[in-house]
Amino acid sequence: MGLSVDWRDIKYQDTFEQELRGLERRRAQGNCAIADIEGVLQHLYQMDGADWAGRGEVQDITMAATIAAYERFIAQWKGEAPAP
């Protein structure tokens, strides 16, 4: 039998990869700094914590993948920066 991939895993991975591509494009265009991306991440944390009406499973997966992509992107970018 083949491996069955759950739709949730597919949605998470697609969203994660899409967010990373978007962040990489923003960085390549030179119109954002780490602080800008960190600001968006803080906003995402607030939105995630304010699940006022119950977003539903798809929106929860999307939010989790988006936050994870921002966290990964920031960590990688900071890892490239020379030490002060």
Side-chain angles (χ1 to χ4, degrees):
M1 290 193 152
L3 278 178
S4 175
V5 179
D6 188 60
W7 68 267
R8 293 165 193 86
D9 296 331
I10 294 169
K11 178 64 178 169
Y12 183 96
Q13 194 62 35
D14 286 348
T15 302
F16 182 83
E17 291 172 3
Q18 180 180 351
E19 289 294 334
L20 279 180
R21 283 191 304 271
L23 289 164
E24 289 164 1
R25 277 193 305 270
R26 283 186 66 189
R27 182 178 178 194
Q29 291 172 351
N31 60 0
C32 71
I34 292 176
D36 298 324
I37 303 301
E38 289 174 327
V40 173
L41 179 59
Q42 290 305 311
H43 180 70
L44 289 169
Y45 287 148
Q46 291 171 354
M47 288 175 51
D48 189 41
D51 183 9
W52 24 265
R55 289 183 292 260
E57 190 171 11
V58 173
Q59 303 310 4
D60 286 342
I61 291 166
T62 300
M63 180 63 74
T66 300
I67 288 172
Y70 272 77
E71 290 172 339
R72 162 96 48 93
F73 185 79
I74 291 167
Q76 287 177 336
W77 194 349
K78 285 184 173 183
E80 294 172 11

